[in-house]
Amino acid sequence: MDRVKNPVLTEKTIRLLEKKQHSFDVDSNSNKTEIKRWIEHFFDVKVIAMNSHRPPKKKRYVNSVIEHPIRYKRMIVTLQPRNSIPLFSKK
């Protein structure tokens, strides 16, 4: 079950990387337990804590009709001090 959509790289999340906190956009139906298991299994790391939130809705006008894009959750994952997640693959 692949519910993690993509890692988030913004100015704030790059600052969080120094504290061993990584941000991911995940499926809105997933919960913390599923995401924790997936991250621990896929990246072979130990997760200490997880925080989640839903970013605010954004409106989009299409031919005088208001649409809302698909919703998602953002998870902030805190790892143990010795663990890390590679953001970019080395070639």
Side-chain angles (χ1 to χ4, degrees):
M1 193 175 339
D2 195 19
R3 295 190 178 240
V4 176
K5 294 182 179 181
N6 55 344
V8 179
L9 292 175
T10 62
E11 290 180 16
K12 182 178 179 178
T13 60
I14 291 173
R15 282 194 313 261
L16 290 175
L17 288 175
E18 296 172 1
K19 300 177 186 177
K20 295 288 188 178
Q21 294 180 333
H22 296 267
S23 298
F24 296 96
D25 286 343
V26 299
D27 186 25
S28 62
N29 296 327
S30 59
N31 58 30
K32 290 182 182 182
T33 308
E34 291 175 347
I35 301 302
K36 180 179 178 178
R37 286 183 188 147
W38 189 88
I39 289 175
E40 286 179 343
H41 177 71
F42 188 78
F43 292 111
D44 195 28
V45 295
K46 181 66 177 163
V47 175
I48 294 175
M50 296 189 67
N51 296 321
S52 66
H53 71 278
R54 294 180 192 266
K57 288 183 179 180
K58 294 183 180 180
K59 293 180 186 177
R60 189 174 92 176
Y61 293 95
V62 178
N63 295 334
S64 70
V65 176
I66 299 173
E67 288 184 348
H68 296 286
I70 298 171
R71 294 294 308 256
Y72 58 92
K73 275 186 192 176
R74 184 161 291 163
M75 292 278 191
I76 300 172
V77 179
T78 306
L79 303 178
Q80 280 187 344
R82 293 180 298 277
N83 294 335
S84 66
I85 294 176
L87 293 177
F88 303 105
S89 61
K90 296 179 182 179
K91 293 184 178 181

